[in-house]
Amino acid sequence: MQNFLSVKDAVDVQALVKEALLYKKTPYADKHLGRNRTMGLLFFNSSLRTRLSTQRAAQNLGLELMVMNVGQDSWGLEFEDGAIMDGNKAEHIKEAAPVIGQYCDIVGIRSFPGLTDREEDYSEKVISQFVKNTGRPIVSLESATRHPLQSLADLITIEELKTKPRPKVVLTWAPHVKALPQAVPNSFAEWMNAADVDFVITHPEGYELAPEFAGNAKVTHNQEEAFKDADFIYAKNWSSYTQYGQILNQDPSWMVTMEKMKLTNNAKFMHCLPVRRNIVVEDAVLDSPNSVVVQQAGNRVWSAQVVMKQILLSII
Ligand SMILES: CCC[C@H](NC(=O)CCC(=O)O)C(=O)O
Ligand SMILES: NC(=O)OP(=O)(O)O
């Protein structure tokens, strides 16, 4: 595995899930693998789960770690080719990336989209410049359009909790107070489309995901219809892709409630976190035994660990 940017970097998704579940039973089985190797984690944006789970996974593999908040701990970075750097950015990615590659054997990058220029965001300008200039394997810690470590953890959770060979999995849009990226739903959709599940996406009009991500999913604007007989409900807010970065709808009737969960087949409730209680989902659902958001977050360790193992095997 050269980089981990999307589901396309997972040669065998089911094998990756099985390896991750094995790590869950034997977390220190490969404690030697990362000896004398260093992983750098660069955050352009906030994080709790990704920051901590990736560090834990690295420790389980014997990797040394460096963590940096780009722009706060380090210099502001310029990504424009040919830029005349007379503003507030002191360093160009063409220097920063190869220098980071001098210190780290693997580099993780979190960089959210700007949500103003769709072409720029969907060209994955930031992470692709790190791939081009670092000279080391790059692991996405959530990029402008995807969050693969989250999606792998989501699939691990569904695999360990499903009660039938092909569960019905519903990705539902929910309201939010801010314009959020499409990265988590995009990524969840492409991993579900690569898995053996009955996948349904439900959202109000105007929130269609890019076709490359929605793939063959069934899409409906009728949330109650989507919830019927569902085995997993995955809630997430995202801003419009078609009217890029816009909040078109904050209709509270799309919030996930116990009443809606009663339409399902005793479904488990999933969310990547952080979640806005009583905006995205009501307290009663999150506080119910059907919420698996903490177990799901715990699986981020095994998701990161199995990916880092594959990357280490490609560089040793
Ligand atoms: C893992 C999710 C990260 C991010 N979430 C947020 O930015 C939520 C911020 C908020 O609720 O204020 C997102 O939606 O992509
Ligand atoms: N789900 C997730 O990636 O959480 P953080 O943004 O806290 O890392």
Side-chain angles (χ1 to χ4, degrees):
M1 186 183 282
Q2 298 308 313
N3 299 298
F4 187 67
L5 309 175
S6 81
V7 69
K8 299 182 187 78
D9 294 308
V11 174
D12 182 338
V13 168
Q14 279 311 317
L16 215 50
V17 171
K18 283 191 174 59
E19 275 200 76
L21 288 169
L22 195 56
Y23 267 148
K24 193 165 183 174
K25 293 194 181 87
T26 56
Y28 309 115
D30 292 324
K31 182 80 175 174
H32 61 288
L33 206 56
R35 190 172 54 235
N36 303 329
R37 300 279 178 180
T38 296
M39 182 166 190
L41 303 179
L42 306 181
F43 290 90
F44 287 76
N45 308 91
S46 305
S47 169
L48 185 156
R49 278 143 293 273
T50 305
R51 188 183 294 262
L52 297 181
S53 62
T54 312
Q55 289 184 73
R56 180 60 192 270
Q59 288 166 1
N60 290 352
L61 292 169
L63 271 163
E64 294 295 328
L65 272 160
M66 296 180 182
V67 185
M68 177 172 275
N69 298 313
V70 179
Q72 294 134 274
D73 304 336
S74 72
W75 303 101
L77 296 183
E78 176 60 63
F79 288 86
E80 284 302 327
D81 268 348
I84 297 170
M85 293 175 59
D86 56 2
N88 59 0
K89 294 175 182 167
E91 185 156 21
H92 202 280
I93 188 68
K94 284 184 173 178
E95 279 74 50
V99 166
I100 290 162
Q102 294 294 305
Y103 309 140
C104 303
D105 299 293
I106 309 173
V107 183
I109 309 283
R110 166 166 282 196
S111 177
F112 290 174
L115 290 179
T116 52
D117 183 334
R118 187 169 92 175
E119 190 181 341
E120 179 173 288
D121 287 344
Y122 275 68
S123 70
E124 288 287 10
K125 179 178 177 182
V126 172
I127 203 162
S128 59
Q129 293 260 34
F130 276 98
V131 170
K132 182 180 170 188
N133 294 297
T134 309
R136 301 287 186 183
I138 301 296
V139 175
S140 169
L141 304 177
E142 185 175 346
S143 67
T145 66
R146 290 179 171 92
H147 194 353
L149 285 176
Q150 180 63 56
S151 305
L152 175 52
D154 297 335
L155 185 54
I156 291 163
T157 307
I158 290 167
E159 283 300 319
E160 64 181 353
L161 291 175
K162 71 183 185 184
T163 57
K164 60 180 69 165
R166 196 166 189 271
K168 178 178 178 182
V169 177
V170 176
L171 167 63
T172 180
W173 180 92
H176 199 283
V177 294
K178 289 166 58 176
L180 296 186
Q182 298 95 35
V184 168
N186 282 350
S187 198
F188 185 70
E190 73 175 0
W191 284 74
M192 288 303 109
N193 282 324
D196 187 18
V197 300
D198 173 12
F199 183 43
V200 178
I201 305 174
T202 185
H203 55 66
E205 291 191 33
Y207 282 101
E208 289 72 15
L209 296 175
E212 67 184 285
F213 293 107
N216 302 322
K218 298 182 200 80
V219 179
T220 174
H221 301 316
N222 184 329
Q223 190 184 41
E224 281 74 12
E225 175 202 308
F227 271 47
K228 282 197 185 110
D229 303 323
D231 300 293
F232 293 89
I233 298 292
Y234 193 101
K236 185 71 183 75
N237 171 267
W238 63 90
S239 59
S240 176
Y241 167 76
T242 50
Q243 296 178 60
Y244 194 60
Q246 300 300 309
I247 298 175
L248 311 177
N249 175 324
Q250 287 181 301
D251 182 354
S253 74
W254 277 82
M255 180 175 76
V256 179
T257 61
M258 284 302 277
E259 191 180 339
K260 290 177 187 172
M261 293 300 285
K262 285 178 183 145
L263 297 169
T264 70
N265 177 36
N266 192 31
K268 302 298 185 196
F269 176 80
M270 297 177 73
H271 190 286
C272 62
L273 302 182
V275 70
R276 299 296 190 108
R277 281 180 169 248
N278 306 308
I279 299 289
V280 169
V281 54
E282 72 176 358
D283 280 332
V285 175
L286 276 174
D287 298 335
S288 78
N290 285 52
S291 172
V292 297
V293 299
V294 173
Q295 179 175 341
Q296 182 184 353
N299 284 336
R300 289 292 305 276
V301 174
W302 319 118
S303 163
Q305 192 165 331
V306 75
V307 165
M308 288 146 86
K309 171 192 176 180
Q310 294 302 323
I311 297 260
L312 281 168
L313 291 177
S314 73
I315 60 176
I316 291 173

